[in-house]
């Protein structure tokens, strides 16, 4: 039972909340994969979510795929789009790859390192679209990640901490990042999450500190009337609802997001 609860927590480590996906410290089992489709809306001011009178309004979409090449090595790819609904020539489009290597594993904790690369492709859509995205630049991200899980009669919980550096290869300020995610699973179906994302540019740009609570509900395969479990690997489906708000940049408004997870 303890091993099952720990497995459930580790299987739900991917957090898709603020702008782009944030991966926790855990690697996937060898030969197992995960697909996540996420879509959201960012509106400013917050009241525009009800009135429709928005000063800024954008939609985000992301597809994330990852695969356990080995037990201690996970590879992944992302496709990300952030498009303004007011001006279709404004927005961000990028595609990326990453590798996460587990460095150490204890009974309840582990430490990993991750490196990734993301490349913008607005200019491939149109010359106008590319010219209007001056902040878009190729990005190399480097992360050190720590995860800790707990379980008992009260359910399961975990904490994931990340620290890293984002290096931009063109004329854009690099960024120092620190992320924290806490998760609590009182029942097998339900996972409550609270995330905090901090970003500090190396230049004069403003820092940001986003809070992102969310809730994930997992649909497990039904058990037959005779009590037998389904044959083969168990591949549940999960739906996640979340919001995010930048405490240091209130003018950015409020973001809402929904994500769909599918293991394969």
């Amino acid at each position: 039972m303890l091993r099952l609860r720990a497995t459930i927590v580790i299987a739900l480590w991917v957090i898709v909340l603020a702008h782009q996906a944030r991966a926790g410290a855990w690697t996937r089992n060898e030969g197992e994969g995960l697909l996540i489709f996420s879509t959201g809306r960012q509106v400013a001011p917050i009241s525009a979510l009800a009135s429709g009178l928005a000063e800024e309004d954008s939609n985000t979409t992301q597809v994330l795929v990852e695969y356990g090449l080995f037990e201690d090595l996970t590879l992944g790819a992302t496709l990300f789009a952030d498009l303004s609904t007011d001006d279709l020539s404004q927005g961000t489009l990028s595609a990326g790859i990453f590798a996460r290597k587990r460095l150490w594993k204890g009974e309840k904790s582990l430490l990993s390192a991750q490196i990734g690369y993301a490349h913008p492709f607005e200019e491939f859509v149109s010359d106008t679209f590319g010219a209007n995205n001056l902040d878009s630049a190729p990005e190399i991200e480097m992360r050190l990640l720590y995860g800790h899980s707990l379980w008992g009669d009260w359910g399961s919980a975990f904490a994931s901490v990340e620290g890293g550096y984002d290096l931009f290869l063109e004329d854009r300020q690099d960024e120092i990042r620190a992320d924290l995610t806490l998760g609590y699973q009182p029942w097998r179906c339900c996972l409550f999450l609270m995330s905090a994302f901090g970003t500090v540019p190396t230049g004069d740009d403003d820092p940001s500190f986003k809070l992102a609570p969310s809730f994930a509900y997992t649909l497990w395969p039904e058990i037959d009337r005779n009590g037998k479990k389904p044959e083969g690997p168990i591949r549940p489906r999960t739906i996640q609802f979340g919001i995010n708000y930048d405490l240091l940049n209130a003018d950015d408004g409020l973001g809402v997001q929904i994500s769909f997870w599918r293991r394969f």
Side-chain angles (χ1 to χ4, degrees), residues 67-144:
Y67 181 78
L69 187 63
F70 304 110
E71 183 183 357
D72 60 351
L73 179 63
T74 293
L75 303 181
T78 60
L79 182 64
F80 178 75
D82 184 358
L83 305 176
S84 171
T85 57
D86 300 321
D87 184 355
L88 295 181
S89 66
Q90 297 286 342
T92 300
L93 299 172
S94 67
I97 56 175
F98 65 87
R100 183 168 58 258
K101 171 69 175 177
R102 190 176 67 211
L103 304 177
W104 169 83
K105 181 180 180 182
E107 180 181 359
K108 298 180 180 179
S109 305
L110 76 162
L111 182 70
S112 299
Q114 180 170 310
I115 186 168
Y117 174 78
H119 194 88
F121 60 90
E122 296 93 354
E123 61 183 11
F124 298 107
V125 177
S126 70
D127 293 339
T128 302
F129 193 87
N132 288 337
N133 292 275
L134 301 179
D135 289 337
S136 185
E139 174 186 2
I140 297 175
E141 63 168 19
M142 296 162 282
R143 299 276 190 275
L144 193 63

Side-chain angles (χ1 to χ4, degrees), residues 1-12 26 29-30 32 71 102 105-108 149-153 155-157 185 188 220 229 234 263:
M1 180 61 70
L2 293 181
R3 183 178 179 181
L4 173 61
R5 288 175 175 170
T7 301
I8 292 172
V9 171
I10 293 173
L12 295 176
W26 290 272
N29 293 330
E30 182 177 346
E32 292 186 358
E71 183 183 357
R102 190 176 67 211
K105 181 180 180 182
E107 180 181 359
K108 298 180 180 179
S149 58
L150 298 169
W151 54 89
D153 294 336
S156 305
Q185 186 181 41
R188 192 169 182 242
W220 293 91
K229 296 181 180 179
I234 298 177
R263 282 188 273 177

Side-chain angles (χ1 to χ4, degrees), residues 14-17 36 193 213-217 238-242 257-261:
V14 174
I15 314 301
V16 184
L17 293 173
I36 295 182
L193 298 160
S214 70
F215 171 74
Y217 184 83
T238 299
I239 183 171
Q240 180 183 6
F241 303 92
Q257 190 157 309
I258 182 172
S259 303
F260 302 93
W261 313 358

Side-chain angles (χ1 to χ4, degrees), residues 146-221:
Y146 173 79
H148 184 79
S149 58
L150 298 169
W151 54 89
D153 294 336
W154 44 267
S156 305
F158 75 89
S160 179
V161 182
E162 301 182 26
Y165 191 88
D166 284 5
L167 174 67
F168 292 94
L169 303 182
E170 295 180 358
D171 189 17
R172 177 178 169 179
Q173 296 177 12
D174 296 342
E175 295 176 344
I176 300 171
R177 294 182 179 271
D179 304 335
L180 169 66
T181 295
L182 304 176
Y184 174 54
Q185 186 181 41
W187 309 287
R188 192 169 182 242
C189 64
C190 304
L191 178 65
F192 298 90
L193 298 160
M194 173 57 76
S195 296
F197 304 105
T199 302
V200 180
T202 56
D204 298 329
D205 288 348
D206 294 331
S208 69
F209 183 74
K210 287 189 175 183
L211 290 180
S214 70
F215 171 74
Y217 184 83
T218 298
L219 301 171
W220 293 91

Side-chain angles (χ1 to χ4, degrees), residues 43-79:
V43 176
I46 297 177
S47 59
L49 285 171
S51 67
L53 302 176
E55 297 177 3
E56 295 184 10
D57 192 347
S58 63
N59 293 310
T60 60
T61 300
Q62 178 167 356
V63 179
L64 180 146
V65 180
E66 62 174 36
Y67 181 78
L69 187 63
F70 304 110
E71 183 183 357
D72 60 351
L73 179 63
T74 293
L75 303 181
T78 60
L79 182 64

